[in-house]
Amino acid sequence: MLTTTVDIEMLRSGVRDLCGRFPSKYWREIDEKQEYPKAFVDALTEAGYLAALIPEEYGGAGLGIMEASVILEEINRSGGNAAACHAQMYIMGSLLNHGSEEQKRTYLPKIASGEFRLQTFAVTEPTTGTDTTKLKTTAVRKGDRYVINGQKVFISRVLQSDLMVLLARTTPIEKVAKKSLGLSMFLVDLRAAIGHGLEVRPIRTMMNHHTNELFFDGLEIPAESLIGEEGQGFRYILDGMNMERIAVAAECVGDGFWFLDRATTYAKDRIVFDRPIGQNQGIAFPIARAYVNVRAANLMRFEAAGKCARREPCGAEANMAKLLASEAAWEAANVALQTFGGFGFAAEYDIERKFREVRLHQVAPVSTNMILSYVAQHVLDLPRSF
């Protein structure tokens, strides 16, 4: 099991060894069947990697976001897809930082052991998108219960999770002094909710991502499901969002190195006109440029993770890390596909699968344009654009 004394290089090696038990063929078959990689996630859980952020007193390893990001990076660098389980890393912050002691003692040990999965975070809605403060899903207090009504979309791994963190409005927006107030965070037991006020409709996407549309129709949950104070949910999710951006940046770095490893090896081995194609600058230079950009994005990832671990403001760094890493990974994906030529489109080489997976991160969990808007306003002090 994972411990607090873990060395980063030993951590990398351990994750890499575990991932070696799940070769490309495994991920290819999972992708073809649109299945959830349960065996892989179970192996990660058993090894303690998905409990990295849970304190030792609750059965976890008590590590930080830096170590968690390395775990996710290595999964993707090994050719896997950490999106199947990454939410259990960054969602954890909501419960750790704002949950009651009773909630922590009830749920964290079972999450650490794998008895419960907490891998889904319900925020996005069809009509509001990134404008989170305008979300329409409501939670109305009635005695010792909250009644949930509304709709969410692109909420991933709902059918593969036992617990879900939900953001809903508890005070109408017209009745709050500031639009970010009046939103509350809840921990929902999906085993009791699905079919009893919560309907889940899977959405087929271009990659195997297990995302869904959710419909809440009079779902009743215990008042004890509230995380932290009522009305403070928007403030709570910001911590989780920064951790999410760092986690995704790390995955993109892993993807970038995976593409570059494949492209470099193929460019050395592929002989055309009696010499390796990597001898041609038209092949070599794009690979080299992509490598430089992945390395640069990796540095920003570590800066963001370091500030987050020290509980320093890290919104700018987390957003910039996600932008740089997602763009660097996408550049590496295009370079790899171009290097492989026609073979890059063949499923057996895995380039096309990873190509589809990495494209998501230009859009989610936050789009490139939204990051640029954030940097312009909050870092450069330019006028707000929306």
Side-chain angles (χ1 to χ4, degrees):
M1 293 292 290
L2 210 53
T3 69
T4 54
T5 58
V6 67
D7 173 82
I8 289 293
E9 289 309 312
M10 288 179 61
L11 179 62
R12 288 188 183 279
S13 178
V15 177
R16 203 174 299 134
D17 288 346
L18 187 151
C19 290
R21 292 155 44 193
F22 299 88
S24 295
K25 182 181 178 181
Y26 170 81
W27 291 101
R28 200 178 308 131
E29 290 177 352
I30 288 290
D31 180 70
E32 289 172 357
K33 297 175 183 178
Q34 291 285 295
E35 292 180 348
Y36 185 73
K38 182 180 183 301
F40 175 72
V41 175
D42 287 347
L44 281 176
T45 303
E46 184 178 347
Y49 292 121
L50 292 189
L53 294 175
I54 297 177
E56 287 184 288
E57 63 185 294
Y58 302 113
L63 302 179
I65 186 61
M66 182 77 74
E67 291 83 1
S69 76
V70 167
I71 293 169
L72 298 174
E73 175 196 342
E74 285 298 328
I75 293 171
N76 281 32
R77 189 166 186 170
S78 297
N81 185 1
C85 55
H86 63 185
Q88 192 151 305
M89 297 291 196
Y90 60 77
I91 293 175
M92 203 65 63
S94 303
L95 196 54
L96 287 172
N97 297 328
H98 308 291
S100 67
E101 186 59 32
E102 183 179 356
Q103 287 173 327
K104 293 176 185 179
R105 295 202 176 278
T106 299
Y107 295 108
L108 290 178
K110 293 182 179 180
I111 294 170
S113 69
E115 183 178 345
F116 288 168
R117 282 186 186 156
L118 172 60
Q119 295 182 9
T120 187
F121 192 24
V123 176
T124 306
E125 296 187 357
T127 60
T128 56
T130 310
D131 193 0
T132 304
T133 60
K134 300 285 183 61
L135 62 78
K136 306 281 194 306
T137 298
T138 60
V140 178
R141 180 73 182 261
K142 291 188 177 180
D144 62 350
R145 317 284 286 176
Y146 279 95
V147 180
I148 314 295
N149 286 285
Q151 185 178 353
K152 300 287 183 180
V153 72
F154 299 123
I155 311 303
S156 301
R157 296 167 301 280
V158 178
L159 297 176
Q160 292 77 32
S161 295
D162 300 295
L163 304 170
M164 175 177 71
V165 172
L166 167 72
L167 189 68
R169 183 160 284 286
T170 45
T171 303
I173 193 168
E174 64 271 13
K175 294 184 179 180
V176 293
K178 189 178 180 182
K179 64 181 182 179
S180 60
L181 297 175
L183 295 169
S184 299
M185 184 178 285
F186 301 91
L187 187 64
V188 178
D189 186 337
L190 289 168
R191 300 164 303 166
I194 295 175
H196 300 89
L198 171 59
E199 179 187 355
V200 182
R201 295 183 189 174
I203 299 172
R204 179 69 183 264
T205 60
M206 67 183 285
M207 64 286 175
N208 186 24
H209 200 66
H210 304 284
T211 197
N212 309 273
E213 192 167 15
L214 308 184
F215 297 87
F216 299 90
D217 184 9
L219 172 66
E220 294 189 11
I221 60 175
E224 294 78 23
S225 302
L226 178 69
I227 297 176
E229 296 180 45
E230 185 176 293
Q232 297 299 315
F234 184 78
R235 178 167 61 86
Y236 298 161
I237 68 166
L238 294 181
D239 285 344
M241 286 181 171
N242 286 332
M243 292 176 71
E244 180 184 36
R245 284 148 175 67
I246 293 167
V248 169
E251 292 170 36
C252 288
V253 166
D255 281 332
F257 282 129
W258 183 89
F259 282 116
L260 290 166
D261 288 344
R262 290 297 181 98
T264 301
T265 299
Y266 190 78
K268 292 175 182 176
D269 294 342
R270 175 69 166 161
I271 305 298
V272 179
F273 299 117
D274 302 318
R275 64 181 187 177
I277 61 173
Q279 190 172 338
N280 301 310
Q281 293 179 347
I283 296 293
F285 283 8
I287 296 175
R289 169 65 72 177
Y291 175 79
V292 170
N293 290 340
V294 171
R295 285 287 302 273
N298 198 23
L299 292 175
M300 180 57 76
R301 179 274 292 253
F302 281 121
E303 181 177 350
K307 295 191 76 170
C308 183
R310 295 189 298 271
R311 300 303 300 269
E312 298 174 7
C314 64
E317 289 77 14
N319 275 286
M320 289 189 287
K322 189 270 177 184
L323 183 147
L324 290 172
S326 63
E327 292 193 341
W330 180 237
E331 179 187 10
N334 279 283
V335 166
L337 187 61
Q338 197 70 22
T339 301
F340 272 74
F343 290 108
F345 294 90
E348 66 181 288
Y349 288 87
D350 296 296
I351 301 295
E352 63 86 26
R353 171 178 62 84
K354 295 289 284 181
F355 187 91
R356 287 183 280 111
E357 290 171 0
V358 79
R359 183 59 181 88
L360 170 67
H361 297 309
Q362 299 272 314
V363 176
V366 60
S367 73
T368 298
N369 282 345
M370 291 302 296
I371 291 177
L372 293 173
S373 178
Y374 177 93
V375 172
Q377 178 186 345
H378 296 285
V379 179
L380 302 179
D381 200 29
L382 291 170
R384 181 170 181 155
S385 61
F386 61 90

